[in-house]
Amino acid sequence: DAGVIQSPRHEVTEMGQEVTLRCKPISGHNSLFWYRQTMMRGLELLIYFNNNVPIDDSGMPEDRFSAKMPNASFSTLKIQPSEPRDSAVYFCASTQGGGGGYQPQHFGDGTRLSIL
Amino acid sequence: SQQGEEDPQALSIQEGENATMNCSYKTSINNLQWYRQNSGRGLVHLILIRSNEREKHSGRLRVTLDTSKKSSSLLITASRAADTASYFCASYSGGYQKVTFGTGTKLQVIP
């Protein structure tokens, strides 16, 4: 079975440019998460969707970050304008179920983003 | 930071030895999960322990949970070189899937 698919795997761009990260969750999963991982801050939850609706976006660092889930099989995380401090590995994860977190999350292999 | 803490930050052992990693969290939880991350890859789920459980086993993995101390430990027995990875605890609280990951333990198993 296909796992969580993220694209691109690597992105290098210049400061000020718009960056769009994409995620295809596992079919049948109704919860989707976006995370950011850095050496300094570890793994941070940015936003969580349930049934395509954003439930908790308290981890989104600034208004420059936005996330959408137009349907059950696709989500995007956009940074506009990008800054060097946004450089990190961004992960998408999906899972079944709703409250309580009693199902494991399935992670993609991430997008390594470098902002010059 | 709302992150849980894990210790040690790094651990190096010989193949065949046991590895123990500890995790502390800050709020009441529904359950706690452990994940492994190989270099350059996403996290992979290992085991889940519910808040009303004290110990759980899966193959060479043993997880304990002490809710009074807000702590958990992961024991990997008879380690193998393939166990080399970073290990994270993830604590789940609240009515939905509010999750907080620990800072991780980097394990190196020397053949």
Side-chain angles (χ1 to χ4, degrees):
Chain A
D1 290 339
V4 174
I5 299 172
Q6 292 187 245
S7 64
R9 287 297 313 276
H10 302 273
E11 174 90 9
V12 181
T13 192
E14 292 190 348
M15 181 176 65
Q17 297 297 308
E18 177 179 292
V19 174
T20 300
L21 311 181
R22 296 172 176 81
C23 175
K24 177 178 170 57
I26 292 174
S27 177
H29 285 186
N30 64 347
S31 294
L32 183 139
F33 306 77
W34 282 100
Y35 294 90
R36 178 173 67 178
Q37 186 176 39
T38 61
M39 289 294 293
M40 289 296 295
R41 300 177 66 88
L43 193 65
E44 301 173 280
L45 174 64
L46 300 177
I47 188 169
Y48 155 58
F49 291 88
N50 183 250
N51 292 324
N52 311 337
V53 176
I55 302 300
D56 182 359
D57 65 355
S58 60
M60 296 286 264
E62 300 172 32
D63 291 345
R64 298 184 296 105
F65 286 69
S66 63
K68 294 182 179 180
M69 192 162 186
N71 57 62
S73 59
F74 184 65
S75 177
T76 59
L77 178 68
K78 187 173 293 186
I79 308 172
Q80 167 63 18
S82 57
E83 296 183 4
R85 60 195 169 114
D86 301 331
S87 298
V89 181
Y90 290 81
F91 288 101
C92 175
S94 71
T95 188
Q96 289 180 311
Y102 291 101
Q103 297 296 325
Q105 293 190 27
H106 298 258
F107 281 73
D109 280 335
T111 294
R112 183 172 294 275
L113 177 64
S114 296
I115 308 296
L116 306 177
Chain B
S1 169
Q2 292 299 308
Q3 282 190 324
E5 297 292 325
E6 291 187 57
D7 76 270
Q9 290 188 346
L11 180 61
S12 183
I13 60 174
Q14 297 289 327
E15 200 166 32
E17 293 180 338
N18 296 341
T20 300
M21 289 157 266
N22 304 297
C23 162
S24 61
Y25 55 91
K26 298 182 180 180
T27 63
S28 297
I29 60 171
N30 301 323
N31 67 78
L32 187 139
Q33 300 182 24
W34 284 89
Y35 287 80
R36 182 187 73 209
Q37 184 180 31
N38 289 86
S39 181
R41 303 298 299 274
L43 281 71
V44 175
H45 179 260
L46 295 176
I47 193 166
L48 179 153
I49 186 165
R50 295 176 178 245
S51 60
N52 61 354
E53 296 176 312
R54 292 297 167 258
E55 187 171 312
K56 200 160 185 181
H57 297 254
S58 176
R60 292 184 298 112
L61 306 179
R62 172 179 169 253
V63 170
T64 61
L65 179 65
D66 186 335
T67 53
S68 67
K69 296 181 179 178
K70 292 188 170 59
S71 67
S72 175
S73 66
L74 172 68
L75 168 68
I76 304 175
T77 61
S79 64
R80 305 166 182 169
D83 294 329
T84 294
S86 291
Y87 291 82
F88 295 87
C89 66
S91 55
Y92 288 76
S93 60
Y96 62 96
Q97 305 214 34
K98 183 71 175 177
V99 58
T100 303
F101 278 84
T103 50
T105 294
K106 193 168 187 176
L107 173 66
Q108 181 186 26
V109 181
I110 302 168

